[in-house]
Amino acid sequence: MSKSNRPGIRRVDNNKFRIRVTAIDPETGRRKEIDRVVTAANINEAVKAQVALRDELRTAVVEPNRVTLEAYARRWLEKKEA
């Protein structure tokens, strides 16, 4: 594995790069690290993949994990009737 001058990117093999991304998880508020090997023709494509992965991690959709009493009661009644 050879180092590049870009933080979080290392060349693994010809046309393969290991990218690391660190961002804050919007759901938990904790730091999250993702490590992936991507196929890219050059370092610039690897940088684009790193930026896309970082954006994906930062804009992750946080679905509420709390269920209202009304929604719970409706599901319970549907199961009870079935």
Side-chain angles (χ1 to χ4, degrees):
M1 220 184 304
S2 65
K3 240 179 156 181
S4 71
N5 61 350
R6 305 284 183 157
I9 300 177
R10 290 181 179 253
R11 183 181 294 273
V12 177
D13 200 7
N14 286 343
N15 298 333
K16 288 196 179 190
F17 294 86
R18 178 176 302 280
I19 58 174
R20 294 187 72 192
V21 174
T22 303
I24 302 296
D25 185 356
E27 184 175 346
T28 63
R30 293 183 171 186
R31 188 174 66 171
K32 187 172 186 178
E33 289 185 18
I34 295 180
D35 189 6
R36 283 201 185 144
V37 175
V38 296
T39 303
N42 54 35
I43 191 77
N44 292 331
E45 287 184 18
V47 169
K48 289 178 185 176
Q50 184 185 37
V51 169
L53 184 61
R54 183 176 294 126
D55 290 343
E56 178 185 325
L57 184 62
R58 285 184 180 164
T59 59
V61 177
V62 179
E63 295 188 24
N65 56 359
R66 297 186 70 149
V67 179
T68 63
L69 178 61
E70 179 183 4
Y72 176 79
R74 285 179 195 262
R75 273 192 266 136
W76 182 80
L77 285 172
E78 288 171 1
K79 286 180 183 179
K80 199 75 167 159
E81 291 173 354

